[in-house]
Amino acid sequence: MSQLSERPVEAVVGLPLPHESAALHVTGEALYTDDLVVRTRDVLHAWPVQSPYAHARIVDLQVKPAYDVPGVVRVLTSDDVPGVNDAGVKHDEPLFPDAEVMFHGHAICWVLGETLEAARLGAEAVQVEYEPLPSLVSVREAIAAGNFQGTGRHLERGDVETALTTAAHVFQGEFEFAGQEHFYLETHVALALVDEGGQIFVQSSSQHPSETQEIVAHVLGVASHAVTVQCLRMGGGFGGKEMQPHGFAAIAALGATLTGRPVRLRLNRTQDVTMSGKRHGFHSQWRAGFDDDGRLVALEATLTADGGWSLDLSEPVLARAMCHIDNAYWIPNVRVDGRIAKTNKTSQTAFRGFGGPQGMLVIENVLGRCAPLLGYDAMELRRRNLYQPGHTTPYGQPVRHAERLEACWSEVVRGGEVERRQAEIEQFNAIHPNTKRGLAMTPVKFGISFNLTAFNQAGALVHVYKDGSVLINHGGTEMGQGLHTKMLQVAATTLGVPLERVRLAPTRTDKVPNTSATAASSGADLNGAAIKNACEQIRERLAQVAGSRLGLHAHDVRFADGMVRGLQGGSLSWDDVVLAAYFQRVQLWAAGFYRTEGLHWDANAMQGEPFKYFAYGVAAAEVEVDGFTGAYTLRRVDIVHDVGDSLSPLIDLGQIEGGFVQGTGWLTLEDLRWDESDGPHRGRLATQAASTYKLPSFSEMPQVFNVHLLDKAHEDGAVYGSKAVGEPPLMLAFSVREALRQAAAAFGPVGTSVDLPSPATPEAVYWALDEARSAAPVPSSFSLSGV
Amino acid sequence: MSTTIKVNGQDLPLGGASVHTTTLDWLRDRGLTGAKEGCAEGECGACSVLVARPGIDSPTEWTAINACLVPVAALDGQEIVTSEGLGTSSELHPVQRELAVRGGSQCGFCTPGFVCSMAAEYYRPTRTASAEEDCEHGPNGFDLHSLSGNLCRCTGYRPIRDAAYALGDPDGDDTFAARQSSPPPPPAPTRLTVNGAEFVRPEQLDDVLELIAECPEAKVVAGSTDTGVEVNLRGVRPSLVVAVDRLPELREFSIDDEQVRIGAALTLTEVERLLAGRVPLLEQLFPQFASRLIRNGATIGGNLGTGSPIGDTPPALLALDASLVLASRRGERTVALADYFTGYRETLKAPDELIRAVLIPLPLAPLTAFHKIAKRRFDDISSVAVGYALDVVDGVVREARIGLGGVAATPIRARATEQALVGRPWTERTVREAAAVMATEGTPLDDHRASASYRSAMLGQSLLRFHAQQLHVEGVSA
Ligand SMILES: Cc1cc2nc3c(=O)[nH]c(=O)nc-3n(C[C@@H](O)[C@@H](O)[C@H](O)COP(=O)(O)OP(=O)(O)OC[C@H]3O[C@@H](n4cnc5c(N)ncnc54)[C@H](O)[C@@H]3O)c2cc1C
Ligand code: FES
Ligand code: FES
């Protein structure tokens, strides 16, 4: 067991605690960025002027009429930018587009008003003359036009060509699937003001305050030390606030510096949905070869990510997609090409799973389509292709703990009574012509760490005050994932104090600098290790103090439960030791630091060991589909998921359940409909509000929902033996999609292979089952091309 | 004339609010930032607050509504409770406690709204523990539909459901429970003028009729579930708003041998409770109509007042052969609903007329059903909605009325399908033939909710489903 992962006996980590802010959440006392507005004086409100074209040249911009609207204070345009007119880190994302608008809803300028209403009317008064330009809206259009951005990638192992020529069964197909809107309940918001001495203070709903700070600084043309960014908490992030908040924060900061007044920029839902990036939709083309035993021998695929109008995080998203096209399956010969289409849409960005889900969806779709054609039950086909110990991934990383896949799988089969239920479903389907059930199991293997090695570092600041109370601060942000709860538990465990003695201060860039985004599920791994490091420094100093008081060597004292005990007897209270240390002039605070060891990645060759470890899980989902409408219900879900030794089981359970339902939303319900017609609204997102873009509600919750954490799952490489949990469970939702496919197939003859679009909305399921229903029996020798 | 609202037990002056200021913005401007804006269109419930409303089973019922849709002026003189008023972090309300300890909040942004919706159900006088648990009701009688208007993006809902099902009954000294035994404040006649715009709540029907006859610009508002969306999302700013939702003349309800008479300003929730299952077709409709939060505000008159082709009550009411009582200064008239819709969002109703009541003739047809096709089961707008009312005597269809929504510029009767059924045996063969006809009714469009071909297919499938579901009651009506 490593020093990092070793857990003391009376640990506070591992206790099932509710979220640290739960009591504040339920009473409405918890403050979010926009709640600060009423607590701030003389705030100005911002409203954007948005493009009504997917692509157009800005011929003329007249802002003067806005000033005639009562209450309008200032219109911000590109002329006002003292620094760099850029909202991203790739220099392809002008904060104010001064020549061309690149997507429907692109903000051209921003109006500041005494009230939101004044700003809105001011924006209506701004006159923009456009010259519409040809646009590419769908990924297919971009592919046809050869319009790509960023660097294409190639990942290869083995000899795909030979393997496909000699394989017993070869199938091929094309599969395009939709992205997903984050729909964090709290939309993007920033509140900026100028402090004393020209210092800019921005409160931002940001997963990446350090980068928000950098962008604000470069837009204002000031050094980073002149800008402080704070994030109290977010009302959800899911990756949507990793890159996207920066520009909004910069607009607010620019407004504040120009007017001398605090500026609030809060997007309403429609603005948020039409302006901010989403999960990438992908187009995929694939060929897969199987041997006679149903084992995958080769996979060839071309993935095209629909990047939208600028790069944002599309390159790392694509890399992760390519690195997860194997999901949990051993494929000896692999060739994957990846590229990023440039389309006139919002600039797509990080979203829980970060490309991983898209990569995996491709292989799960292949298996779901091919199983009936190979004459296999899909469950059996998946199981026999699972990674075994000793296997490596296509990019050359050993699949450590591959046996946990089988462990999760058999645990789900047992606990979920899968065999009994399969038999019941068969009987049910035989006597119900208009209703069919399906039960599917899918695995997940997800790599943890940022693909870019440099991001795998974190800092923390821990103060112990003279009265023994502890204040911690770290670079991670809280968006509901329970990071702060875990960090409090880590600090209490390391210092051996009761949880109540530890408080956590909001995330700010002037406490811990140069932080990475709270993303890639790595928040607890990185920041937890940094906090542990800081606490250990303090504890070691205190051990000296306590040791000399107890007449023992510092190594022979233990910290637990607010007491410092000698191994050979004798004890002191934590408070006494702290106070004594103060009088001995011992430093009672420390800065902690952590960097993940052992990572290496050659981004060009797509080879290396980019991940510290893999998180595993397996889900079984049972659905019931109505043959008249395609409507369905999720009857039961069983999950076994590997979170290592959980830092905080109630939090982890919440991440698994929430991630699963969010993934189910992506795959079944959430429908991004862009206007791809040549009509006047080309490029407009038709589902840009909660009334048209439907999130899962209570009716989509599994009726029976059993989630278990995998036993004996210690992870040697991470803080207190735990594993990251934020993203991987989302991908367990493939089980729902595959169950729907099976239920739809049950309307047809045995062996029907169902082509299911994604999202599998009731309409999509209806057409799929309708086709199955009218399908002729499939001849057994049938080998399909152009699936 | 009152110009205060009692919020969490404290009288707060309306001051500073404009005619269109939503209750949500008003509360937040007063520092009560517990209620949040997640969508501003009644979909997410993050803005849910409790209002003291006249109850059906107790003098007052704490009713959860969407604060983002209701103009604050409409609550003049009323009583509101927000998440902050229910409890504090040092003294949690039972609903708050259950949510907090069970992991019911992650980011917490949706939580105050869930707390209010859940509290309303906690205090529902008719909620009683029952051994009959199903997937929408807890052992404590908690109806999950009460949370159908609240979205959570983080939790996946399971812990929220468990919190709801773990709730007991209010304690004997619970002040919110006690409040339900005395009546709510009466509606306050209101006249608020700000920056040239005016909000008026007249005391009686005649005053309203006078006003809308004199001022063509007047915008009638009832529950504001449609109007609120227009204001928030489309920037509509009527200069004169006339509130009709508390008019006693529009809140009458009666049943006699001839008909059911439903006042236009009764909310869907109230209509459901007052009918108590006596119109089975509507009983099927209610849980499929929007969410509990919306049904608590949305009136039946408002659903017809919009003239929308995708409203859910029109297809049902068409099948029930309903008619409307229209009132104006010129008098009252009754028009058949089948004649009421004249074009896309156009109706027979003259600008100076109000819908006063909906009339449903009795006896009801014996075979009825309401089918709604939507992406999501709870709280979604119909792609297609179908209301059925059939009379089958001795195995032969004697009468058939089928109302359709979502397939034409107005709600329509499926006349051709009705013809294909009437006088023919109620058999699979007839139904298959009629279903083929039904699939050609209307002129459905492609949009983001559904394709035209799906809508057409759903019409035909709906009739097949109706028949399959009715098979076992065939002939019973004779
Ligand atoms: C989130 C959400 C979900 C919804 N889901 C559904 C659904 O599933 N099915 C469905 O059918 N509808 C749905 N709706 C719309 C539904 O709530 C409304 O149509 C409602 O019934 C309108 O009633 P109201 O009292 O709120 O009307 P208001 O918004 O107050 O008024 C609506 C219109 O009717 C007019 N009006 C109101 N009362 C009268 C009257 N007595 N006489 C004449 N004109 C009048 C008004 O002038 C206005 O034009 C939904 C709305 C929202 C916001
Ligand atoms: S803010 Fe979403 S329902 Fe009111
Ligand atoms: S807890 Fe985040 S939306 Fe519900």
Side-chain angles (χ1 to χ4, degrees):
Chain A
M1 215 178 266
S2 70
Q3 197 264 339
L4 177 64
S5 73
E6 190 182 344
R7 192 176 277 203
V9 224
E10 287 167 77
V12 181
V13 293
L15 299 178
L17 301 176
H19 194 283
E20 41 80 34
S21 289
L24 306 182
H25 292 154
V26 295
T27 52
E29 292 168 25
L31 293 182
Y32 300 78
T33 303
D34 202 47
D35 299 340
L36 304 171
V37 173
V38 57
R39 294 166 172 84
T40 311
R41 281 171 59 94
D42 297 330
V43 176
L44 294 175
H45 304 260
W47 195 281
V49 175
Q50 292 183 263
S51 159
Y53 295 102
H55 190 197
R57 201 167 66 79
I58 304 171
V59 178
D60 188 38
L61 173 64
Q62 291 292 336
V63 301
K64 264 196 75 201
Y67 286 99
D68 298 336
V69 174
V72 168
V73 172
R74 179 90 196 209
V75 184
L76 304 176
T77 68
S78 59
D79 293 341
D80 294 313
V81 177
V84 189
N85 180 22
D86 184 58
V89 290
K90 298 267 174 198
H91 301 287
D92 65 345
E93 230 178 295
L95 181 64
F96 298 93
D98 39 19
E100 265 180 44
V101 286
M102 298 298 290
F103 65 99
H104 201 290
H106 203 160
I108 295 152
C109 61
W110 292 77
V111 179
L112 306 182
E114 297 285 350
T115 60
L116 194 61
E117 184 77 347
R120 182 181 72 85
L121 294 172
E124 258 175 31
V126 169
Q127 291 166 2
V128 193
E129 193 187 318
Y130 302 91
E131 179 196 326
L133 299 171
S135 58
L136 299 169
V137 174
S138 72
V139 64
R140 281 166 193 274
E141 288 168 356
I143 292 173
N147 206 37
F148 302 104
Q149 56 187 333
T151 313
R153 294 289 179 201
H154 179 81
L155 167 61
E156 185 154 0
R157 165 171 72 191
D159 181 352
V160 170
E161 226 32 76
T162 311
L164 285 176
T165 333
T166 54
H169 309 270
V170 177
F171 306 101
Q172 64 179 21
E174 199 178 331
F175 177 41
E176 186 184 339
F177 48 91
Q180 184 179 25
E181 163 57 34
H182 300 83
F183 221 108
Y184 25 63
L185 263 257
E186 178 209 35
T187 51
H188 277 288
V189 52
L191 175 63
L193 48 90
V194 183
D195 248 345
E196 170 237 27
Q199 176 178 264
I200 321 293
F201 183 53
V202 187
Q203 311 238 32
S204 167
S205 183
S206 171
Q207 285 175 245
H208 199 348
S210 282
E211 200 166 73
T212 306
Q213 173 197 26
E214 262 173 71
I215 304 268
V216 168
H218 88 212
V219 167
L220 297 182
V222 299
S224 287
H225 68 189
V227 179
T228 298
V229 175
Q230 169 167 299
C231 176
L232 291 181
R233 57 167 61 76
M234 282 166 274
F238 314 116
K241 294 173 181 170
E242 182 172 346
M243 287 290 285
Q244 307 278 309
H246 312 330
F248 305 123
I251 301 278
L254 179 64
T257 56
L258 290 175
T259 62
R261 290 175 60 180
V263 172
R264 164 221 197 195
L265 186 163
R266 174 191 167 275
L267 302 183
N268 67 27
R269 180 59 61 184
T270 303
Q271 290 162 350
D272 193 295
V273 176
T274 54
M275 279 195 259
S276 71
K278 314 179 187 323
R279 184 189 296 287
H280 295 69
F282 270 59
H283 174 274
S284 66
Q285 199 137 24
W286 56 270
R287 275 205 299 160
F290 294 84
D291 67 15
D292 274 328
D293 294 328
R295 293 210 163 73
L296 274 159
V297 293
L299 176 71
E300 176 195 64
T302 301
L303 303 184
T304 311
D306 186 352
W309 73 280
S310 71
L311 264 183
D312 190 274
L313 291 164
S314 296
E315 286 174 319
V317 164
L318 175 68
R320 188 169 274 271
M322 295 170 73
C323 288
H324 284 80
I325 198 165
D326 56 337
N327 188 10
Y329 307 109
W330 163 243
I331 317 171
N333 302 287
V334 177
R335 183 167 70 215
V336 189
D337 285 290
R339 52 193 183 174
I340 302 158
K342 183 167 178 154
T343 52
N344 296 105
K345 288 193 207 155
T346 53
S347 181
Q348 315 316 15
T349 190
F351 193 148
R352 205 174 196 169
F354 203 80
Q358 291 96 320
M360 294 181 191
L361 179 51
V362 173
I363 187 71
E364 292 302 340
N365 186 63
V366 168
L367 295 176
R369 291 231 55 195
C370 296
L373 303 169
L374 289 164
Y376 275 97
D377 173 57
M379 217 178 266
E380 173 54 28
L381 186 70
R382 289 192 164 88
R383 190 174 195 167
R384 60 174 53 199
N385 280 293
L386 290 181
Y387 273 119
Q388 304 298 328
H391 281 149
T392 53
T393 63
Y395 46 91
Q397 174 151 4
V399 185
R400 194 160 57 85
H401 289 159
E403 68 283 359
R404 289 190 188 178
L405 278 170
E406 180 55 39
C408 292
W409 190 282
S410 50
E411 192 48 37
V412 169
V413 170
R414 196 192 58 75
E417 305 169 283
V418 166
E419 278 157 22
R420 174 179 67 71
R421 284 161 60 213
Q422 271 186 312
E424 279 172 14
I425 287 171
E426 214 164 291
Q427 282 171 10
F428 178 93
N429 287 350
I431 55 173
H432 290 86
N434 299 320
T435 316
K436 301 288 180 193
R437 292 180 178 168
L439 171 60
M441 278 177 71
T442 57
V444 162
K445 165 188 124 291
F446 190 78
I448 300 298
S449 296
F450 288 95
N451 271 61
L452 181 74
T453 306
F455 290 164
N456 297 292
Q457 58 170 313
L461 189 60
V462 174
H463 299 335
V464 177
Y465 292 97
K466 275 187 286 183
D467 65 355
S469 63
V470 182
L471 186 69
I472 64 173
N473 203 285
H474 62 94
T477 53
E478 176 63 41
M479 60 198 100
Q481 83 280 41
L483 177 60
H484 285 352
T485 312
K486 290 181 171 178
M487 296 304 96
L488 290 165
Q489 289 178 273
V490 166
T493 301
T494 315
L495 294 173
V497 297
L499 195 63
E500 312 79 68
R501 300 311 306 276
V502 189
R503 252 184 86 87
L504 189 145
T507 316
R508 322 173 31 128
T509 56
D510 58 356
K511 293 263 182 67
V512 180
N514 309 326
T515 54
S516 295
T518 307
S521 307
S522 64
D525 280 10
L526 296 177
N527 296 292
I531 284 178
K532 184 164 182 283
N533 172 253
C535 291
E536 280 167 354
Q537 296 173 39
I538 297 170
R539 195 185 65 197
E540 273 156 32
R541 291 179 209 137
L542 291 176
Q544 298 285 350
V545 176
S548 68
R549 288 210 140 193
L550 293 169
L552 296 169
H553 191 275
H555 285 150
D556 293 336
V557 296
R558 293 288 175 272
F559 291 70
D561 209 20
M563 297 299 290
V564 186
R565 295 192 180 84
L567 287 184
Q568 291 87 349
S571 70
L572 297 163
S573 78
W574 161 266
D575 290 2
D576 288 346
V577 176
V578 167
L579 196 64
Y582 170 76
F583 282 110
Q584 291 174 27
R585 294 184 293 169
V586 169
Q587 185 185 345
L588 283 173
W589 53 272
F593 184 72
Y594 174 73
R595 65 165 175 271
T596 317
E597 301 291 347
L599 305 180
H600 60 95
W601 180 237
D602 180 340
N604 292 320
M606 293 286 284
Q607 290 293 322
E609 296 194 19
F611 304 122
K612 181 73 185 170
Y613 57 84
F614 295 104
Y616 300 103
V618 170
E622 180 181 335
V623 301
E624 180 172 304
V625 171
D626 172 31
F628 293 112
T629 59
Y632 43 80
T633 50
L634 188 45
R635 289 171 47 79
R636 173 168 170 175
V637 172
D638 293 86
I639 291 174
V640 173
H641 193 75
D642 168 19
V643 298
D645 290 338
S646 175
L647 288 179
S648 202
L650 195 58
I651 299 286
D652 286 350
L653 180 64
Q655 288 300 295
I656 296 170
E657 291 175 333
F660 180 86
V661 170
Q662 200 172 65
T664 305
W666 171 47
L667 295 167
T668 64
L669 182 65
E670 300 179 30
D671 212 352
L672 288 170
R673 293 290 185 100
W674 307 86
D675 187 335
E676 294 174 5
S677 76
D678 289 327
H681 302 301
R682 179 170 167 81
R684 178 179 177 273
L685 182 60
T687 48
Q688 51 172 256
S691 50
T692 47
Y693 186 84
K694 291 306 206 182
L695 305 187
S697 76
F698 257 103
S699 52
E700 281 63 50
M701 179 187 66
Q703 287 164 5
V704 177
F705 202 175
N706 301 316
V707 178
H708 296 285
L709 307 182
L710 182 70
D711 261 353
K712 299 200 226 39
H714 184 83
E715 171 53 50
D716 212 28
V719 61
Y720 290 128
S722 65
K723 272 190 181 182
V725 68
E727 295 166 292
L730 179 128
M731 290 149 264
L732 295 169
F734 293 129
S735 56
V736 179
R737 177 177 151 78
E738 293 305 314
L740 287 171
R741 190 200 303 274
Q742 277 168 227
F747 284 91
V750 177
T752 304
S753 171
V754 167
D755 186 7
L756 194 60
S758 188
T761 57
E763 175 170 355
V765 172
Y766 176 76
W767 293 124
L769 73 86
D770 196 47
E771 197 182 321
R773 206 158 36 190
S774 50
V778 183
S780 55
S781 65
F782 183 82
S783 174
L784 123 157
S785 71
V787 169
Chain B
M1 197 166 85
S2 171
T3 50
T4 62
I5 299 179
K6 185 175 277 190
V7 183
N8 300 333
Q10 243 192 322
D11 286 323
L12 298 183
L14 213 54
S18 84
V19 166
H20 302 294
T21 302
T22 65
T23 304
L24 177 63
D25 285 345
W26 182 80
L27 286 169
R28 292 181 57 79
D29 279 348
R30 260 138 211 83
L32 289 164
T33 49
K36 311 287 185 209
E37 182 184 308
C39 68
E41 56 165 344
E43 291 280 345
C44 75
C47 62
S48 165
V49 299
L50 297 168
V51 185
R53 289 280 194 221
I56 288 165
D57 296 286
S58 63
T60 289
E61 271 184 43
W62 288 113
T63 306
I65 60 161
N66 300 96
C68 70
L69 295 180
V70 179
V72 68
L75 294 178
D76 184 15
Q78 302 298 302
E79 244 176 273
I80 306 182
V81 173
T82 68
S83 60
E84 292 101 326
L86 283 170
T88 61
S89 49
S90 47
E91 205 173 330
L92 296 177
H93 183 274
V95 162
Q96 295 171 328
R97 195 179 326 115
E98 290 301 336
L99 274 170
V101 301
R102 287 171 193 276
S105 71
Q106 287 186 19
C107 79
F109 204 80
C110 68
T111 315
F114 269 103
V115 163
C116 290
S117 293
M118 207 182 269
E121 179 65 8
Y122 176 68
Y123 290 118
R124 177 166 61 88
T126 48
R127 179 176 68 88
T128 45
S130 105
E132 272 174 57
E133 215 181 320
D134 60 29
C135 56
E136 283 159 10
H137 294 84
N140 55 357
F142 193 100
D143 180 1
L144 264 198
H145 281 273
S146 63
L147 305 179
S148 59
N150 292 81
L151 294 176
C152 176
R153 191 51 154 166
C154 300
T155 61
Y157 301 102
R158 196 274 314 155
I160 299 177
R161 178 195 65 188
D162 286 1
Y165 286 2
L167 289 168
D169 289 327
D171 281 345
D173 60 353
D174 185 312
T175 51
F176 298 102
R179 175 66 188 85
Q180 297 200 126
S181 53
S182 54
T190 303
R191 184 174 283 270
L192 176 76
T193 312
V194 186
N195 295 334
E198 208 172 2
F199 181 98
V200 189
R201 178 185 297 286
E203 244 169 314
Q204 40 186 327
L205 179 60
D206 286 348
D207 301 342
V208 172
L209 298 179
E210 187 66 30
L211 199 60
I212 60 176
E214 295 298 324
C215 312
E217 78 279 14
K219 174 70 187 169
V220 167
V221 179
S224 195
T225 61
D226 277 322
T227 312
V229 176
E230 296 284 307
V231 169
N232 293 347
L233 267 61
R234 287 179 259 293
V236 174
R237 299 284 185 273
S239 58
L240 172 60
V241 176
V242 185
V244 301
D245 54 315
R246 315 312 303 164
L247 285 178
E249 298 90 338
L250 263 61
R251 294 179 45 80
E252 295 159 348
F253 178 86
S254 63
I255 301 185
D256 57 26
D257 290 347
E258 310 272 283
Q259 64 181 19
V260 181
R261 184 185 165 103
I262 302 169
L266 290 168
T267 66
L268 272 295
T269 297
E270 289 171 323
V271 178
E272 175 180 9
R273 298 271 287 277
L274 290 165
L275 285 175
R278 280 176 288 195
V279 180
L281 174 51
L282 292 179
E283 189 69 6
Q284 277 190 34
L285 177 153
F286 295 123
Q288 300 185 63
F289 185 107
S291 63
R292 171 64 67 208
L293 278 172
I294 292 290
R295 295 199 294 278
N296 285 343
T299 63
I300 190 164
N303 201 235
L304 299 162
T306 63
S308 160
I310 50 173
D312 282 334
T313 66
L317 292 172
L318 283 171
L320 293 170
D321 206 17
S323 44
L324 305 182
V325 179
L326 302 181
S328 72
R329 199 166 59 170
R330 297 167 286 134
E332 287 191 2
R333 58 175 177 148
T334 301
V335 301
L337 188 63
D339 301 331
Y340 173 74
F341 300 101
T342 53
Y344 181 71
R345 291 192 181 267
E346 281 173 14
T347 67
L348 277 184
K349 183 176 72 66
D352 68 341
E353 280 181 313
L354 266 192
I355 303 171
R356 178 168 182 174
V358 178
L359 309 177
I360 300 172
L362 295 175
L364 300 169
L367 297 190
T368 58
F370 182 74
H371 290 174
K372 172 165 174 167
I373 308 296
K375 261 185 215 161
R376 194 170 69 191
R377 203 153 52 83
F378 283 5
D379 192 8
D380 199 357
I381 302 290
S382 300
S383 313
V384 174
V386 188
Y388 291 100
L390 263 70
D391 196 0
V392 179
V393 181
D394 296 332
V396 175
V397 181
R398 200 179 61 185
E399 246 192 290
R401 275 188 313 275
I402 304 174
L404 306 180
V407 294
T410 66
I412 55 170
R413 283 271 293 274
R415 303 274 184 196
T417 313
E418 293 171 4
Q419 265 176 27
L421 288 169
V422 173
R424 304 201 42 203
W426 180 234
T427 58
E428 177 141 4
R429 171 141 178 243
T430 309
V431 169
R432 289 222 162 266
E433 284 168 20
V437 176
M438 188 137 151
T440 65
E441 296 273 7
T443 48
L445 299 178
D446 274 318
D447 67 13
H448 50 80
R449 292 205 168 87
S451 67
S453 44
Y454 182 63
R455 287 189 162 97
S456 293
M458 286 306 98
L459 291 179
Q461 291 289 319
S462 166
L463 187 60
L464 297 178
R465 170 156 66 124
F466 177 56
H467 182 253
Q469 286 166 346
Q470 295 298 338
L471 271 185
H472 60 285
V473 287
E474 188 180 341
V476 170
S477 63

